[in-house]
Amino acid sequence: MFEGKCLIVEGRSDKLQIEPILSENVLILCTNGTIGVHQLEELLDPYEGYELYTFFDADTSGDKLRALMDRHYPEAEHLRTMPTYKEVETTPRKVLAMILLRAHFSIHNEYIL
């Protein structure tokens, strides 16, 4: 049963950078850094019916989170920022919008390049 989209990011700054871009209702959850299996399951269990997406930084911490998600939630789709920006929070919103648009998220027209 499809409940909606759930986007998992590392921190609040990432969430605040992405939220204004989206023109659809998307649940955005923060891991607040690298977490373990137990914490990840506690975070995601209430959203079992959601389509899962991750948007982690292009660094070691982000790589660890992607690997953890792959092991426990292989159905999750990983979105990636360009290595130039490294962090989601420092990626320009227009660039984030194009990444989200390619993943079939609805975005506000003002962010379309």
Side-chain angles (χ1 to χ4, degrees):
M1 175 189 216
F2 175 69
E3 299 284 336
K5 292 179 182 174
C6 177
L7 182 62
I8 304 125
V9 298
E10 289 183 67
R12 187 172 184 272
S13 297
D14 298 336
K15 180 179 179 175
L16 294 174
Q17 183 73 343
I18 292 171
E19 273 182 326
I21 299 169
L22 298 168
S23 65
E24 66 178 299
N25 190 18
V26 175
L27 176 67
I28 302 176
L29 301 176
C30 301
T31 66
N32 296 314
T34 304
I35 61 176
V37 175
H38 181 67
Q39 294 94 341
L40 183 64
E41 288 175 351
E42 283 183 348
L43 180 68
L44 295 179
D45 277 352
Y47 310 105
E48 188 177 326
Y50 284 68
E51 283 183 73
L52 299 177
Y53 296 85
T54 68
F55 209 150
F56 301 139
D57 295 342
D59 60 11
T60 304
S61 177
D63 291 342
K64 287 179 183 178
L65 285 167
R66 275 186 285 279
L68 182 64
M69 287 294 297
D70 279 341
R71 282 192 304 275
H72 298 281
Y73 297 92
E75 70 277 12
E77 182 177 336
H78 300 293
L79 308 181
R80 297 174 188 268
T81 188
M82 294 178 201
T84 307
Y85 302 113
K86 295 192 185 200
E87 298 177 342
V88 173
E89 71 180 85
T90 59
T91 303
R93 285 190 174 146
K94 289 190 181 239
V95 173
L96 292 173
M98 295 312 298
I99 295 166
L100 290 163
L101 192 61
R102 276 187 243 122
H104 308 288
F105 284 83
S106 296
I107 61 169
H108 291 290
N109 288 336
E110 67 196 76
Y111 294 103
I112 296 176
L113 293 174

